[in-house]
Amino acid sequence: MFDAAPAFSPSATRARPFSSVPAQGRLDALLSGPVTSFAVGAEIYAEGDKAGALYQVAFGIVRIYRLLADGRRQICAFQMPGEIFGFESDGERHFFADAVADTGLRTVRMASAADLSGELLNLALRGLSRAHDHMLTLSRLGACSRVAAFLLEMAERQESEESGVIDLPMSRADMADYLGLTIETVSRVMTKLKDAKIIRLPTYRHIDVLDWDGLREMAE
Amino acid sequence: MFDAAPAFSPSATRARPFSSVPAQGRLDALLSGPVTSFAVGAEIYAEGDKAGALYQVAFGIVRIYRLLADGRRQICAFQMPGEIFGFESDGERHFFADAVADTGLRTVRMASAADLSGELLNLALRGLSRAHDHMLTLSRLGACSRVAAFLLEMAERQESEESGVIDLPMSRADMADYLGLTIETVSRVMTKLKDAKIIRLPTYRHIDVLDWDGLREMAE
DNA sequence: CGACTACTTGAAAAGAGTCAATTCACGTGG
DNA sequence: CCACGTGAATTGACTCTTTTCAAGTAGTCG
């Protein structure tokens, strides 16, 4: 039931893959249903909603976030194709979820999930592990490291190492709210990476990585 | 793990597990065994260890943390009496755990936990929820708010509102590593709270709260 | 009492945030 | 096909917070 993960040395801490969720036996069977579409910006659920379902991303990308009273936003996670989200510890949503790009989702009703606690536990523990990684990033890394780590994370999730191209499906504002920075700071770091010849920016949303080692160094 | 910071926790009670079994029912039964003692600073487990057991704090306090290559430390959680910790997604420890004060722990071997995924899922989801709260604190709050929120969290876990006294079982360094600050900054905020007549500091480890509302305001 | 460690305080420096002004990319309509 | 308008991204100047480095003070334990 427990699957293997890469060895966990302190230095490898933030290099951990954000790999898509592995095959989950019975869960997968329940997730083979129809795909519901969401347009850019469409809300999937909101804080306070009754939690009725789990979702698996078929295509597109979803942001999971919370809001502070004054409007500040913390994006807890981006969900990419194959990944499952929507667990709650009680029957209520504690987050907002909406589509960053045009997105398709498969659904499992909670009722069907009653006897899947083994599979769900595994998913929850992985989520916990990621949350802790992200906590480390937010609390202990400078702006450059955060952005570089984010780019590496996206690269890994897209298997970009070969092509050298990273696709950014989200805006600078989304990046900033995920990394706990302002859009200006994110932008400045991007420019800095560009000036250092570590990346090129053919468009705002496409990155050519020229120097992976340089990027990795930056992420410390 | 610990209770969510009040500032970010709209719903106080999160008692609804996916499973129909009352939370921790069978777990409690398994946790009634003998108590193992750990002296101040004693290691409970280390990153890379084989994950063999869950623990429940009988008395004392435990810190769960990770280290970066350069020695920077992030304390993910303080575990207080009654709380259960030690889940891993893959059979290996990804954190360090050691005793902040003299501590007693009860143990459940993983083998006995095989059929407890319902209870464990609930615990894991609570942990996830707290991790997200902490993420928000780390990424979006200033130094004063972080310290104030921490004091309120400790107060809540100790039910200090009546007595007005908060006991800090950990050093400034532990607080700093939990809050993503330096010990100097933590110290300065404590002094500031003292000067603002919000708290008194009879000793380094004991706080008299003079103005709860002031403290709550401080926490943003 | 003395030595050790934890904590506090101060001054200077670094880092990120804020506010404001451009610049850029892209879709719309002429 | 090009001009224009809109929203996103970048850039610049300045401010504010937190860190860093360097003393100094206060509890604690032998």
Side-chain angles (χ1 to χ4, degrees), chain A residues 18-93:
Chain A
F18 248 67
S19 60
S20 57
V21 174
Q24 293 292 322
R26 286 174 295 172
L27 249 187
D28 266 358
L30 285 168
L31 283 166
S32 53
V35 172
T36 312
S37 285
F38 293 82
V40 178
E43 178 181 291
I44 296 159
Y45 55 74
E47 189 175 339
D49 283 0
K50 183 168 164 296
L54 295 179
Y55 300 93
Q56 183 186 42
V57 181
F59 61 87
I61 180 165
V62 174
R63 68 183 156 235
I64 311 292
Y65 62 94
R66 295 178 66 177
L67 294 173
L68 263 62
D70 59 6
R72 282 177 296 182
R73 182 177 68 157
Q74 173 63 36
I75 294 180
C76 298
F78 291 109
Q79 304 292 350
M80 311 271 280
E83 296 174 346
I84 293 170
F85 66 95
F87 320 97
E88 302 290 349
S89 55
D90 53 15
E92 192 184 333
R93 298 292 179 198

Side-chain angles (χ1 to χ4, degrees), chain A residues 200-212:
Chain A
R200 282 195 317 140
L201 283 170
T203 80
Y204 291 149
R205 301 292 183 97
H206 292 93
I207 297 177
D208 291 344
V209 179
L210 305 174
D211 177 4
W212 288 98

Side-chain angles (χ1 to χ4, degrees), chain B residues 52-104:
Chain B
L54 296 179
Y55 302 93
Q56 184 187 41
V57 181
F59 61 87
I61 181 165
V62 174
R63 67 181 156 235
I64 310 293
Y65 61 96
R66 296 173 66 176
L67 293 172
L68 263 61
D70 59 7
R72 281 175 296 182
R73 183 177 68 156
Q74 173 64 35
I75 295 180
C76 299
F78 291 108
Q79 305 291 353
M80 311 272 279
E83 296 173 345
I84 293 170
F85 66 95
F87 319 96
E88 301 291 348
S89 56
D90 64 352
E92 190 184 334
R93 296 294 179 199
H94 296 150
F95 300 89
F96 295 89
D98 49 41
V100 175
D102 290 320
T103 297

Side-chain angles (χ1 to χ4, degrees), chain A residues 103-147:
Chain A
T103 298
L105 300 179
R106 293 194 192 85
T107 308
V108 201
R109 304 241 108 234
M110 279 305 192
S112 329
D115 64 338
L116 293 173
S117 28
E119 283 85 352
L120 295 181
L121 176 59
N122 199 19
L123 286 175
L125 289 175
R126 290 166 155 272
L128 195 54
S129 184
R130 269 189 221 175
H132 284 135
D133 281 343
H134 198 189
M135 230 160 76
L136 207 84
T137 300
L138 292 172
S139 72
R140 290 283 176 243
L141 267 38
C144 292
S145 301
R146 292 189 206 184
V147 173

